[in-house]
Amino acid sequence: MKYKVVYEYVENSTKGMYMMKADLAFINGEVITMDKNSRIVEAVAIKENRIIFVGSNLEVKQLIESKTKVVDLCGKTLLPGFIDSHIHLPMYGLNQLSISCKASYKKSIDDIKQELRKKAKTVAKGQWIRAWGFNETTIKENRYLSIQELDEISTEHPIMITRTCGHICLVNSKALEIAGINSQTSNPDGGVIERDSNGDLTGKLIETANMRMNEIAKYTEKELRQAVRIASDHFVQAGITSIHEAGVSDSDTYRLLQEAVKNNDIAVRVYAIICTLNNSHEFVEKMLAAGVLTGTGDERFKIGPAKIFTDGSSTGPTIATREPYTSDPNNHGILYYSEEEIYRVLGEAHKKGYQITVHAQGDRAIEMYLNCVERALKEHPREDHRHRIEHAGISTPDLQERMKKLGVIPIPNPPFPYEFGEIYVNNYGERVNYMYPVRDFIDKGIICAGGSDAPVTDYNPLIGIHTAVNRKSSSNSEIGLNQKVTVMEAIKIYTINGAYASFEEDIKGSLEVGKLADLVVLDNSILRQNQNCIKDLKVEMTVIDGQIVYKNEAVVRA
């Protein structure tokens, strides 16, 4: 609050402008402010960690002195720092320590097996071999690896391959042994331990069975600390200055996340959703009992909403739908909890003053959650609750109307159709026209914020903006063109709307006097760029707290 009075004085008083000089100034730019009037100006000035001026080149000169660092944008775009409202920082970082199945040269099962064999030669017996990003629809054989194939690689190392969605994994016999899973083990609630026609284990674990294996195959604390630094560096290079951490593996990781921010190992600001990937309801209940409320923290780390999982993966596919899958008339997906169980946990969280949210992809899961929100608000009315829905995958018009009426904030994933569009058409048919429906949300006056869900897909916000504008897959297939938005609308969901979803629109999300100096510079003008090429833009500079934390020297030299 101490900045508000000072900086309003600077903006409105010529004398004040001469008295306070900027530490950093940007001039000659396409400065997209994302303020309430969507102003586009030329210049911005920063003092310490706050914005002290937004306006013209002529006016900003009054704030520049010999010590001021001046950046000539030469017509390039300057934006508020990107806010990814649904991302998994530790999980993304940990994946960088293991084998990536998304690498372009991995085109077959043999390619993946070759990488696993190489890894087995360098890892001590008994230690985990991990791979991530596997997608059976993009490799030559169009199938999963079998447990026999994984056992051929090693029976002395536990092996775990996580599907791109993060909701399914493939493991070998050693991993099953460590987890205590055999042919007699029952399926957990909300999950499947797959068996073949003879009742033998295939090594494929789905939903909660996968989440439990993730917890068993946990990384060391040393690896976690390395991972969060890697993730933060990558996100900053993409212009991300704030994230909403959507769920960690366990409570130890939640603690480490806070420590890493405190120790400056994480540069991005964190709004940490109260959620673990396994037994999410138990973690929420523990946090409720501890009394750590949504909003607790500071500008660098803050506690977010209480969250539980309700259904599965849109690409698995395991989401809970009201009508059967187009690809399988006998499949309606998987539910983690009954509606009453969801209400028992999140209804109590609402009652105690928490923001609440769920992972809900299918329309059946979304409907169940909205029923719980409606009941909670009826029993315990609260203004400006800002309850959310993570993903809100298949959001049909009737569900959109309920979101509007209840004041719920959906957090769609704009980049999903780019990587997974053909999978959606195959599994859901015409329902793709209501998948991650940003156009409909905007037209109905529903505030929505964008998230990548990385490492599920690419964390680069420019790919998210590109896909929201074009609604085409990477192979140029049209995926619900009726949901296309404008460039400015797409930018909004990655900036000010993200700030609103975390109750922080007064301090970030737009370039306005008094707000935090979190900015991103692109290598060209995003408004003049061919909209089919938005994804090709690059981040030239990222500023957090008034400090240049990333500078793309290759772009600057070019």
Side-chain angles (χ1 to χ4, degrees):
M1 294 301 293
K2 66 179 181 179
Y3 293 99
K4 186 174 181 182
V5 174
V6 173
Y7 293 152
E8 282 183 351
Y9 177 69
V10 170
E11 185 179 40
N12 295 313
S13 166
T14 303
K15 181 180 178 182
M17 291 178 72
Y18 278 109
M19 289 175 62
M20 179 173 287
K21 301 299 183 180
D23 297 323
L24 176 62
F26 294 88
I27 61 173
N28 297 324
E30 177 183 81
V31 179
I32 301 175
T33 65
M34 299 315 300
D35 65 11
K36 64 181 180 180
N37 297 315
S38 298
R39 288 192 306 151
I40 299 174
V41 298
E42 298 173 306
V44 171
I46 295 165
K47 180 70 175 179
E48 297 178 356
N49 73 333
R50 299 278 168 160
I51 296 170
I52 61 171
F53 174 81
V54 179
S56 71
N57 289 330
L58 181 63
E59 292 172 298
V60 80
K61 288 180 180 179
Q62 299 173 88
L63 299 172
I64 295 173
E65 62 177 2
S66 59
K67 296 179 181 178
T68 304
K69 178 178 178 59
V70 179
V71 177
D72 188 340
L73 295 170
C74 300
K76 298 172 186 175
T77 294
L78 175 67
L79 292 161
F82 292 126
I83 299 172
D84 190 311
S85 296
H86 187 108
I87 198 168
H88 301 270
L89 184 147
M91 187 190 302
Y92 171 85
L94 288 169
N95 280 350
Q96 307 317 300
L97 305 180
S98 60
I99 297 167
S100 170
C101 296
K102 290 196 176 191
S104 59
Y105 61 87
K106 298 199 177 67
K107 299 178 180 178
S108 69
I109 284 177
D110 283 343
D111 292 337
I112 295 169
K113 287 163 67 175
Q114 184 176 349
E115 289 296 308
L116 293 170
R117 289 192 188 97
K118 287 180 184 177
K119 192 71 172 179
K121 292 178 181 178
T122 64
V123 176
K125 293 178 181 179
Q127 298 299 305
W128 285 86
I129 297 172
R130 303 178 182 88
W132 69 281
F134 178 80
N135 187 342
E136 76 287 356
T137 71
T138 61
I139 59 172
K140 182 175 68 176
E141 296 84 354
N142 290 119
R143 67 172 177 84
Y144 288 94
L145 284 84
S146 69
I147 191 170
Q148 291 81 11
E149 288 173 310
L150 295 181
D151 283 347
E152 287 172 7
I153 292 163
S154 178
T155 55
E156 296 177 310
H157 302 87
I159 300 174
M160 181 178 182
I161 302 175
T162 302
R163 192 179 181 280
T164 185
C165 61
H167 288 245
I168 297 171
C169 70
L170 309 170
V171 296
N172 68 346
S173 296
K174 185 65 174 179
L176 291 173
E177 176 190 325
I178 291 171
I181 297 173
N182 57 49
S183 58
Q184 305 305 311
T185 305
S186 300
N187 289 332
D189 291 341
V192 176
I193 301 169
E194 189 180 76
R195 296 163 172 81
D196 62 21
S197 57
N198 297 319
D200 296 326
L201 300 176
T202 67
K204 184 178 178 183
L205 304 176
I206 302 170
E207 295 303 335
T208 55
N210 163 73
M211 300 302 184
R212 291 181 184 183
M213 182 59 76
N214 264 304
E215 193 168 7
I216 291 166
K218 66 188 300 183
Y219 289 77
T220 66
E221 188 162 309
K222 180 179 178 182
E223 289 171 323
L224 272 167
R225 294 187 184 282
Q226 180 184 0
V228 297
R229 288 193 293 269
I230 291 171
S232 179
D233 287 346
H234 287 193
F235 295 169
V236 165
Q237 290 169 24
I240 298 170
T241 58
S242 291
I243 67 164
H244 298 181
E245 171 55 50
V248 295
S249 57
D250 52 35
S251 57
D252 285 340
T253 305
Y254 205 82
R255 170 186 54 80
L256 186 141
L257 195 65
Q258 297 175 70
E259 290 180 358
V261 172
K262 182 179 179 181
N263 295 333
N264 295 314
D265 289 330
I266 294 176
V268 295
R269 304 183 194 277
V270 178
Y271 188 62
I273 296 174
I274 300 169
C275 180
T276 51
L277 304 182
N278 187 34
N279 293 324
S280 55
H281 67 285
E282 290 185 0
F283 187 60
V284 168
E285 289 170 339
K286 288 178 182 177
M287 291 291 275
L288 296 185
V292 183
L293 193 63
T294 298
T296 301
D298 56 26
E299 292 164 352
R300 295 199 60 219
F301 184 93
K302 194 170 291 186
I303 300 296
K307 170 194 169 187
I308 62 174
F309 282 80
T310 63
D311 69 346
S313 155
S314 60
T315 67
T318 51
I319 67 175
T321 56
R322 297 187 289 198
E323 299 296 326
Y325 294 169
T326 304
S327 58
D328 183 355
N330 297 312
N331 195 349
H332 287 78
I334 290 176
L335 283 170
Y336 277 45
Y337 304 104
S338 68
E339 187 175 310
E340 191 57 38
E341 287 171 329
I342 296 169
Y343 185 76
R344 180 181 60 80
V345 178
L346 295 185
E348 183 66 16
H350 165 83
K351 178 182 175 181
K352 291 185 175 180
Y354 288 77
Q355 184 185 30
I356 61 173
T357 191
V358 290
H359 166 112
Q361 286 273 21
D363 49 3
R364 184 182 176 201
I366 294 169
E367 184 174 43
M368 289 170 61
Y369 172 65
L370 292 176
N371 290 343
C372 293
V373 173
E374 185 172 24
R375 179 179 168 188
L377 290 172
K378 183 177 180 179
E379 295 179 2
H380 302 282
R382 173 147 55 103
E383 296 295 326
D384 199 30
H385 52 78
R386 304 194 195 183
H387 295 332
R388 306 168 33 144
I389 304 178
E390 309 305 309
H391 309 300
I394 300 178
S395 292
T396 51
D398 64 308
L399 298 176
Q400 295 172 22
E401 291 295 341
R402 294 190 68 191
M403 292 177 203
K404 172 67 175 176
K405 179 181 177 182
L406 296 169
V408 170
I409 303 170
I411 312 293
N413 307 108
F416 274 15
Y418 185 76
E419 183 170 353
F420 308 123
E422 285 80 9
I423 295 176
Y424 294 155
V425 172
N426 178 60
N427 290 320
Y428 311 117
E430 292 299 316
R431 283 171 285 189
V432 297
N433 293 315
Y434 299 110
M435 291 192 75
Y436 315 107
V438 177
R439 173 79 273 148
D440 286 353
F441 290 149
I442 293 171
D443 289 347
K444 284 184 169 64
I446 299 169
I447 296 175
C448 66
S452 65
D453 201 18
V456 173
T457 195
D458 200 307
Y459 57 88
N460 182 356
L462 290 167
I463 291 180
I465 291 169
H466 171 94
T467 310
V469 169
N470 294 287
R471 286 291 293 211
K472 291 183 179 180
S473 70
S474 58
S475 60
N476 214 36
S477 298
E478 297 176 352
I479 314 296
L481 289 182
N482 57 306
Q483 298 300 339
K484 289 168 60 174
V485 301
T486 68
V487 174
M488 288 292 282
E489 288 169 334
I491 293 170
K492 189 173 184 178
I493 69 172
Y494 275 98
T495 54
I496 191 64
N497 284 13
Y500 181 87
S502 59
F503 298 92
E504 296 176 297
E505 72 275 16
D506 289 339
I507 62 168
K508 62 185 179 183
S510 61
L511 303 180
E512 299 181 75
V513 169
K515 286 195 172 184
L516 292 165
D518 295 352
L519 314 91
V520 57
V521 177
L522 305 183
D523 68 339
N524 213 319
S525 160
I526 194 170
L527 297 181
R528 294 194 298 272
Q529 178 86 338
N530 183 318
Q531 71 177 37
N532 293 311
C533 302
I534 292 171
K535 62 181 174 56
D536 300 325
L537 289 167
K538 293 179 175 59
V539 169
E540 184 170 303
M541 186 182 297
T542 306
V543 176
I544 299 178
D545 240 16
Q547 300 297 312
I548 298 172
V549 296
Y550 171 69
K551 191 173 183 180
N552 189 335
E553 295 294 346
V555 171
V556 172
R557 285 195 298 271

